[in-house]
Amino acid sequence: MSEKLLTVNADDFGYTHDVNSGIVEAHHKGILTATTLMANAPAFDDAVRLSRANPTLDVGCHLVLVGGTSMLTGEPYPRDVPGLIKAIIMRQIKPYPELRDQIRKILHAGLKPLHMDTHKHTHLFPAVLQIVAKLSEEFKIPFVRRPFDFPMRPGKTPISKRLVAKSFQIVRGKFQQSLAQHNCRSTDFFAGFSLTGAFTAADLVSLIQELPEGSTEFMCHPGHCGEELMAAKTRLKQSRVEELAALCAPEVRAALSETGVRLVRYGDLV
């Protein structure tokens, strides 16, 4: 029988100081094993400091092309994915130099990422995916997120979220091909899109009980909700506090023991 391995990965490291502190707390008091860092975010330096102080936290790259500001031009990125697609088609944004600079900034900070993903899952768009896969190979960052939720039992997530997650399956075949062309790796399974901003400790227990054999990445967005986050342009505010509480709940840790699921970092998968 194959082992069940779980990587719990927080997006948005560097977004704000209160998000950063919540991610570190979820690592020390909860089941969080990894996070991905936004190079162009306001609290980047604080996140790097925390990374150095917490070497057991596996830090990767959270590549940004929507929201925030370009490190190359100083201009704001499009606010949403349709705006990004239009900007790429119109050649107003060139994803390769934009994302390359973000990775370089993280590397120059002394971090050694093994995994990467994108803000708002923009690498589901083929033009972005090709660049992300190419950069993965170029910088020897082997793991790229495959944001296709494995199916949980009906009723665990809102139907609207389930429908969006199901629509992602349309591009799954070409997505896999692009990663394979550049020798990119991924966990065997992924979960978290349908639960974003809406999961409890009970949902996490159910997820752990339903995990398939092999490796799974669970995406989450924990944080504290102080003045800095409240002023930020994001819909995920109080939900970050609720996610943090769920990740630190004793019944979640107990579910891991009962099911034999092992928490891992990306370095363990290498």
Side-chain angles (χ1 to χ4, degrees):
M1 180 180 293
S2 177
E3 198 172 9
K4 295 181 180 181
L5 307 175
L6 177 63
T7 299
V8 182
N9 188 19
D11 288 3
D12 300 346
F13 200 35
Y15 188 62
T16 64
H17 290 77
D18 37 6
V19 166
N20 290 352
S21 63
I23 287 173
V24 171
E25 181 175 334
H27 176 56
H28 284 292
K29 298 182 179 180
I31 65 169
L32 189 80
T33 60
T35 187
T36 44
L37 175 59
M38 307 170 85
N40 67 337
F44 173 84
D45 290 339
D46 179 61
V48 171
R49 177 186 65 81
L50 290 170
S51 299
R52 293 170 180 163
N54 299 275
T56 57
L57 180 61
D58 184 349
V59 180
C61 304
H62 194 55
L63 303 176
V64 180
L65 288 172
V66 292
T69 303
S70 167
M71 291 174 10
L72 284 177
T73 67
E75 296 296 319
Y77 285 134
R79 296 179 61 183
D80 53 29
V81 175
L84 172 64
I85 294 173
K86 179 181 178 181
I88 291 175
I89 292 172
M90 300 294 291
R91 299 188 177 181
Q92 297 166 338
I93 288 181
K94 296 179 179 179
Y96 178 78
E98 294 284 348
L99 300 182
R100 179 193 59 198
D101 265 30
Q102 292 179 28
I103 294 172
R104 283 178 172 172
K105 183 177 179 180
I106 292 171
L107 293 172
H108 289 167
L111 302 180
K112 298 178 180 179
L114 292 175
H115 56 109
M116 63 171 71
D117 50 55
T118 58
H119 192 49
K120 306 293 185 184
H121 305 302
T122 53
H123 65 305
L124 285 169
F125 179 45
V128 177
L129 175 61
Q130 285 293 334
I131 298 303
V132 170
K134 181 179 178 180
L135 290 168
S136 167
E137 188 171 39
E138 179 180 339
F139 286 97
K140 295 180 173 57
I141 302 173
F143 285 90
V144 175
R145 173 182 289 167
R146 290 189 304 176
F148 307 106
D149 274 355
F150 78 84
M152 293 180 66
R153 289 194 298 267
K156 295 293 181 184
T157 57
I159 188 170
S160 58
K161 281 276 192 177
R162 294 203 301 272
L163 290 174
V164 173
K166 190 172 183 179
S167 71
F168 287 176
Q169 302 296 326
I170 297 172
V171 300
R172 186 167 188 160
K174 290 186 177 180
F175 191 98
Q176 297 283 96
Q177 289 178 352
S178 295
L179 294 189
Q181 287 170 2
H182 293 276
N183 302 306
C184 303
R185 297 181 61 179
S186 298
T187 54
D188 298 320
F189 303 97
F190 171 83
F193 174 79
S194 299
L195 293 173
T196 296
F199 70 80
T200 64
D203 294 320
L204 274 187
V205 169
S206 294
L207 174 75
I208 291 167
Q209 292 172 342
E210 294 181 45
L211 280 182
E213 294 179 358
S215 60
T216 300
E217 176 194 357
F218 175 66
M219 175 190 73
C220 57
H221 299 80
H224 295 128
C225 190
E227 292 182 4
E228 194 175 356
L229 180 59
M230 287 301 296
K233 294 179 180 180
T234 176
R235 68 180 179 85
L236 301 178
K237 294 183 178 180
Q238 184 58 36
S239 66
R240 294 181 190 265
V241 179
E242 295 164 1
E243 289 197 15
L244 174 59
L247 291 166
C248 296
E251 59 265 39
V252 172
R253 180 73 68 173
L256 292 171
S257 298
E258 292 165 2
T259 57
V261 172
R262 182 161 66 92
L263 289 176
V264 295
R265 303 184 299 169
Y266 284 93
D268 300 318
L269 298 178
V270 174

